[in-house]
Amino acid sequence: MAIASNVGFPRIGAHRELKKALESYWPGKSSEMELLSIGKNLRRENWTLQKALGIDHIPSNDFSLYDHVLDTAYMVGAIPARYQPEAGDVTLATYFAMARGSRDARFSGAAPTSGSGAHAMEMTKWFDTNYHYIVPEFESGQRFRLSSRKAVEEFLEAKALGIITRPVLLGPVSFLLLGKTKTPGFKVMSLLDSLLPIYAEVLQLLKGAGAEWIQLDEPALILELGAEEEAAFIQAYEYLRSSGLRFLIATYFGGLRENLDWVLDLPVSAIHLDLVRAPEQLQEAIQMAPGTLQLSLGLINGRNVWRTDLNRTLALAEQAAQRLGRDRILIAPSCSLLHSPVDLELERNLDSEVLSWLAFAKQKLEEVVVLTRALNEGRTAIQKILDRNRETTERKQHSPRIHNPAIQQRSARVKPEMFHRKNAYNIREQAQKAALQLPLLPTTTIGSFPQTKEVRALRAEYKSGKRTLESYRAALQKEIQETIRIQEATGLDVLVHGEFERNDMVEFFGEQLSGFATTENGWVQSYGSRCVKPPIIYGDVARLHPMTVDWAKFAQSLTLKPMKGMLTGPVTVLEWSFVRDDQPRESTCRQIALAIRDEVADLEAAGIRVIQIDEPAFREGLPLRRADWKNYLEWAVGSFRLASSGVRDETQIHTHMCYSEFNNIMDAVAAMDADVISIEASRSEMELLRAFAQFRYPNAIGPGVYDIHSPRVPTTEEIENLLKNILQVLPASQVWVNPDCGLKTRRWEEVRPALSAMVEAARHCRQAHKENSSESVQSVPAAKTTR
């Protein structure tokens, strides 16, 4: 019989219980026991739900208090020295210090000063998703040891409930490939020999606990791999096969391509294939699979919210079953449902037609069960379900709510000159200097300021009808006014209004554009306790009315300093939404770009001289295979330029990017032609900055000088030292000074001293630069004059 399988379930809870528990625990409002109890309850709910739905292979150890890659580093003892306590074993405080940084001086090497404690580990994007993982740190002579039995403990938790799960581990080779080393010339793959015994130890513990199947996630298998990496995978699974367990290797986010033949020959029981991203690999896999190998067919989209076309998808499953036999088939989502909201049944206010097109994690598992049942019992057993599904699919394809001829015609009429500013950057730079009159090393922030519980309460009261629009606007205007006064008192040069009217940097715009739907509970995890609620793009996109102009005008009226207009760029709106799947993504992105272009024009007309169009997801959208980059970069760069190029020379266009690897796409980033780009740099210890410096990025750049994702407050001295390092690789005339991301998730008691330290550090460096320049001039001998 075919097996109904799942490869991972959302961790946060249907009502974001984990987020609330973490944000209560971190400031000390609740205990460690309370946090762990909530985690245990969530796991129980997830397992029992999946069992009730009819899933045969239910995952365990897919739950995490922060991040599964961090969990793996913690499990194998890859804990950098700065987090090692001076005495005693590593604890939950150690785990969260690795994730978030800490002001706690108990960690080794920390001095008891206001800036003491440990910096957080680097964080970056999980392949091409908006999920962020903690980057493992490796060094020459790295020693691994079993530091956590979480995988075993959670298997036993489920077993006590009468549920035998399939524990999930991040595979050893992908774990190493996702990490970094600071040791020059050191190859992390050389650590495989010392890492594998720790994995073997975990596997033996799981076997002793009663596990039969183990899921080893190896997403790196879909990348372009060299001979060394291929050998490492073969070595790893030859070594681990002696455990006697049945292994399922899970691949996702793309096809195996040239890796398919040798991956199918690995000594494992099953291979999971992403047949949503790469359906073309199924036929070859069927033909090449050894006679004992089972195939897990990832047929249900784990990364989007549309109902599956069951009739078309079942045809793929039937082809596999006819060739291999049902007993060698597992039916599953394409990847972990971590990237999907939990339950569509919680949506009470979505339009009924749009609702009929959607499926969240729970509904996706129902689709898994339906397809499995059809394989095992025949189509007739589910014919009514298939008929209803066909009707829904056909209605969606022809719905007038999806297709708007006027929007499509405008997109088709875009002219080449709309992708270019009137003049080159060197000319614009002079016009902007004259218009803005900013000092050397100008200071600013990325956009958002703390969304306090009071601000969130205002929004909730307005949405529930307890507060009128007039009262709501007045309260937000007060927040804006107070925030501007704080920025002025701090000494920032270019101000922002704080974005208090915005629930999310993408959802806010989705609520005001045609072709979008927004949800009440469509939350997904971005990192740690940070959850986002992506809007759903179901149809053609256009701006219905000005979206930010009134707020920007009001804020500018309160200060003589430049006020940034704050927008989200077209690529980020696309990437951080659930996107329609009935047309190319670049077509949707162009429609969004035209909507943003309209907003940029209105901001400029309203007197806003600095406009920031954020593109933090620009790198995220890059295909995982280099061979596929060219087409994406062409339309992504084009979309940004289309959105930003309709302004005068003296209007300064900013953009922001963060937590991504830019080294190999610097030419594309430069081609975006933003006047100023701000980037994350502090958490990666200036690694991104080095890429911009080596490339000789032509326009202005604001390297983030402190990590806003950590509660740790930097000192003036720390930031000043960082700025000095920056000024060794970039000329002062090119540099802006800013945090590495928005301040929405931080508290005011962290924000105020951090920004004060940043501004003071900029003043010190500004003065030092002035003095050095003066000394240089004085050191030049005076020219002799003749009469």
Side-chain angles (χ1 to χ4, degrees):
M1 303 290 280
I3 295 170
S5 174
N6 185 23
V7 293
F9 200 75
R11 311 156 177 165
I12 58 176
H15 301 282
R16 292 180 295 159
E17 293 91 337
L18 179 59
K19 170 189 174 65
K20 296 167 187 174
L22 287 168
E23 293 177 359
S24 175
Y25 169 73
W26 286 333
K29 296 177 182 178
S30 61
S31 68
E32 179 177 322
M33 184 178 295
E34 289 172 306
L35 172 63
L36 297 178
S37 176
I38 289 171
K40 187 173 183 178
N41 289 339
L42 287 172
R43 292 191 292 272
R44 183 184 66 248
E45 290 171 7
N46 291 347
W47 292 326
T48 54
L49 170 64
Q50 293 174 77
K51 182 177 181 180
L53 291 174
I55 299 297
D56 302 309
H57 280 202
I58 298 171
S60 63
N61 200 42
D62 54 337
F63 178 86
S64 176
L65 287 173
Y66 201 95
D67 164 53
H68 59 279
V69 184
L70 175 63
D71 290 350
T72 308
Y74 198 73
M75 178 184 77
V76 301
I79 301 172
R82 65 185 180 275
Y83 305 109
Q84 298 287 356
E86 293 179 354
D89 293 332
V90 293
T91 64
L92 195 59
T94 310
Y95 175 87
F96 285 128
M98 294 165 71
R100 307 174 68 239
S102 174
R103 300 171 69 176
D104 193 331
R106 291 177 301 171
F107 295 106
S108 62
T113 66
S114 60
S116 69
H119 292 272
M121 293 173 68
E122 184 180 345
M123 181 168 68
T124 196
K125 297 292 180 72
W126 175 247
F127 293 83
D128 59 352
T129 76
N130 187 30
Y131 177 79
H132 302 64
Y133 74 93
I134 301 299
V135 180
E137 295 180 18
F138 302 123
E139 60 186 5
S140 178
Q142 177 89 43
R143 292 187 177 184
F144 298 107
R145 65 183 179 89
L146 184 59
S147 296
S148 167
R149 289 172 168 77
K150 173 181 176 292
V152 182
E153 292 164 356
E154 293 185 6
F155 175 82
L156 291 172
E157 272 183 38
K159 186 177 180 182
L161 298 170
I163 302 172
I164 301 299
T165 57
R166 186 176 69 198
V168 180
L169 299 174
L170 177 59
V173 183
S174 289
F175 172 65
L176 290 177
L177 290 174
L178 290 167
K180 289 185 177 180
T181 178
K182 297 174 185 176
T183 307
F186 176 67
K187 293 184 177 182
V188 298
M189 207 51 63
S190 66
L191 297 174
L192 186 62
D193 286 339
S194 57
L195 177 64
L196 289 175
I198 311 303
Y199 270 80
E201 187 176 353
V202 174
L203 293 174
Q204 286 305 312
L205 290 171
L206 285 168
K207 183 178 181 180
E212 299 174 358
W213 277 89
I214 304 292
Q215 176 180 319
L216 287 148
D217 284 2
E218 294 282 14
L221 282 168
I222 60 95
L223 303 176
E224 293 155 319
L225 301 174
E228 182 183 12
E229 290 84 7
E230 178 181 340
F233 277 106
I234 295 171
Q235 175 192 345
Y237 287 94
E238 286 291 345
Y239 183 95
L240 296 176
R241 71 188 303 180
S242 62
S243 69
L245 291 161
R246 303 182 73 183
F247 295 148
L248 177 142
I249 292 182
T251 69
Y252 39 82
F253 303 152
L256 288 165
R257 301 192 190 183
E258 73 281 358
N259 301 326
L260 180 63
D261 57 349
W262 63 264
V263 170
L264 292 175
D265 283 333
L266 291 174
V268 298
S269 298
I271 300 290
H272 175 77
L273 304 174
D274 184 341
L275 298 178
V276 173
R277 281 286 187 92
E280 68 282 353
Q281 65 181 328
L282 178 60
Q283 289 305 316
E284 191 173 3
I286 291 172
Q287 295 169 4
M288 298 173 61
T292 58
L293 186 70
Q294 294 177 261
L295 291 183
S296 173
L297 310 183
L299 294 168
I300 307 298
N301 195 334
R303 291 189 48 183
N304 216 326
V305 293
W306 307 111
R307 284 195 180 276
T308 302
D309 182 340
L310 294 176
N311 290 275
R312 179 184 59 81
T313 303
L314 179 56
L316 285 176
E318 288 171 335
Q319 291 175 27
Q322 289 168 4
R323 183 68 179 267
L324 301 177
R326 290 177 303 186
D327 59 330
R328 292 176 60 195
I329 298 296
L330 295 86
I331 303 295
S334 60
C335 61
S336 171
L337 297 173
L338 165 70
H339 310 286
S340 174
V342 177
D343 188 0
L344 189 65
E345 293 176 7
L346 299 177
E347 299 302 323
R348 298 177 295 274
N349 297 319
L350 260 180
D351 175 89
S352 60
E353 183 178 14
V354 174
L355 191 74
S356 71
W357 301 338
L358 306 178
F360 290 178
K362 178 183 175 183
Q363 290 71 39
K364 290 177 184 297
L365 292 182
E366 290 172 346
E367 292 179 332
V368 166
V369 172
V370 165
L371 291 175
T372 307
R373 185 182 170 197
L375 283 188
N376 289 331
E377 302 176 27
R379 282 179 174 250
T380 55
I382 61 159
Q383 193 60 52
K384 291 183 179 179
I385 296 175
L386 293 175
D387 291 344
R388 287 196 301 268
N389 179 265
R390 180 182 291 107
E391 292 169 2
T392 300
T393 301
E394 291 174 353
R395 283 197 301 268
K396 177 173 179 281
Q397 288 172 346
H398 300 100
S399 172
R401 302 183 63 176
I402 291 178
H403 307 289
N404 185 317
I407 296 173
Q408 295 168 2
Q409 289 166 13
R410 184 191 182 193
S411 184
R413 290 196 302 266
V414 168
K415 299 177 180 178
E417 56 266 28
M418 295 172 69
F419 294 94
H420 301 278
R421 298 285 293 270
K422 182 179 179 181
N423 285 300
Y425 172 70
N426 62 331
I427 298 174
R428 303 196 308 262
E429 181 186 21
Q430 297 308 312
Q432 291 161 20
K433 284 182 177 179
L436 297 174
Q437 296 291 306
L438 297 173
L440 189 71
L441 303 175
T443 57
T444 189
T445 63
I446 301 304
S448 59
F449 269 86
Q451 292 255 339
T452 62
K453 63 180 181 181
E454 291 80 13
V455 171
R456 294 195 298 270
L458 286 173
R459 187 178 300 118
E461 289 171 5
Y462 170 61
K463 286 192 171 184
S464 65
K466 296 178 181 178
R467 184 182 284 268
T468 65
L469 176 61
E470 294 75 15
S471 172
Y472 177 59
R473 289 183 65 87
L476 292 184
Q477 286 176 345
K478 183 180 178 182
E479 292 284 343
I480 292 170
Q481 186 168 8
E482 291 176 356
T483 298
I484 289 173
R485 297 296 166 250
I486 290 171
Q487 293 175 82
E488 288 180 326
T490 302
L492 289 163
D493 299 307
V494 176
L495 311 187
V496 298
H497 77 290
E499 303 182 13
F500 301 108
E501 79 284 6
R502 306 185 189 188
N503 44 13
D504 176 79
M505 65 181 292
V506 174
E507 185 180 25
F508 172 79
F509 292 97
E511 291 174 333
Q512 303 181 79
L513 296 167
S514 70
F516 277 78
T518 57
T519 65
E520 288 181 272
N521 292 286
W523 298 99
V524 294
Q525 185 183 26
S526 179
Y527 61 86
S529 69
R530 171 72 169 140
C531 300
V532 294
K533 189 151 58 72
I536 298 166
I537 306 176
Y538 64 81
D540 290 325
V541 177
R543 190 182 72 148
L544 301 173
H545 50 71
M547 300 177 285
T548 66
V549 176
D550 285 348
W551 293 109
K553 285 174 61 178
F554 171 75
Q556 185 65 82
S557 73
L558 301 176
T559 182
L560 296 176
K561 291 192 172 186
M563 176 64 59
K564 282 198 283 193
M566 298 301 305
L567 303 173
T568 303
V571 177
T572 298
V573 172
L574 181 87
E575 291 295 328
W576 290 359
S577 299
F578 293 119
V579 185
R580 60 188 292 189
D581 57 359
D582 63 330
Q583 70 176 13
R585 292 170 69 85
E586 54 262 42
S587 300
T588 302
C589 200
R590 174 172 286 201
Q591 293 177 356
I592 300 169
L594 287 168
I596 300 300
R597 183 184 179 95
D598 293 341
E599 189 73 9
V600 169
D602 282 351
L603 283 169
E604 183 182 60
I608 304 301
R609 293 173 293 170
V610 182
I611 301 171
Q612 183 168 311
I613 307 173
D614 288 336
E615 285 291 19
F618 183 85
R619 177 63 173 79
E620 175 186 315
L622 191 71
L624 297 172
R625 295 275 187 143
R626 188 182 289 269
D628 304 326
W629 285 6
K630 185 175 184 292
N631 179 59
Y632 166 77
L633 289 172
E634 285 178 353
W635 64 256
V637 169
S639 294
F640 180 84
R641 294 182 67 137
L642 180 61
S644 62
S645 294
V647 295
R648 301 186 298 270
D649 285 352
E650 57 267 33
T651 298
Q652 190 173 71
I653 297 293
H654 288 229
T655 192
H656 171 66
M657 298 179 175
C658 59
Y659 297 109
S660 289
E661 305 286 349
F662 295 106
N663 308 51
N664 43 21
I665 59 164
M666 287 305 306
D667 53 346
V669 175
M672 294 169 69
D673 199 26
D675 297 305
V676 183
I677 182 172
S678 55
I679 60 166
E680 180 277 326
S682 62
R683 194 154 179 165
S684 62
E685 298 185 356
M686 292 289 128
E687 182 177 334
L688 291 180
L689 175 64
R690 288 191 287 273
F692 279 75
Q694 291 166 3
F695 175 76
R696 295 188 179 181
Y697 184 74
N699 301 4
I701 179 171
V705 294
Y706 80 88
D707 176 18
I708 69 90
H709 294 90
S710 171
R712 185 180 177 278
V713 176
T715 64
T716 300
E717 182 181 11
E718 286 179 56
I719 297 178
E720 187 173 345
N721 288 335
L722 201 56
L723 278 172
K724 289 176 180 177
N725 291 336
I726 291 169
L727 294 175
Q728 288 179 0
V729 294
L730 294 174
S733 59
Q734 191 179 11
V735 175
W736 282 62
V737 182
N738 46 259
D740 64 9
C741 204
L743 300 165
K744 175 180 178 179
T745 60
R746 298 266 57 90
R747 297 177 296 167
W748 277 111
E749 52 264 42
E750 298 160 350
V751 166
R752 290 182 190 234
L755 290 182
S756 295
M758 185 186 82
V759 169
E760 189 65 19
R763 285 174 179 158
H764 290 174
C765 289
R766 199 177 290 150
Q767 181 62 31
H769 185 272
K770 181 179 179 181
E771 292 170 357
N772 291 337
S773 298
S774 176
E775 290 173 4
S776 298
V777 170
Q778 292 175 12
S779 68
V780 177
K784 294 182 179 180
T785 60
T786 58
R787 294 182 181 276

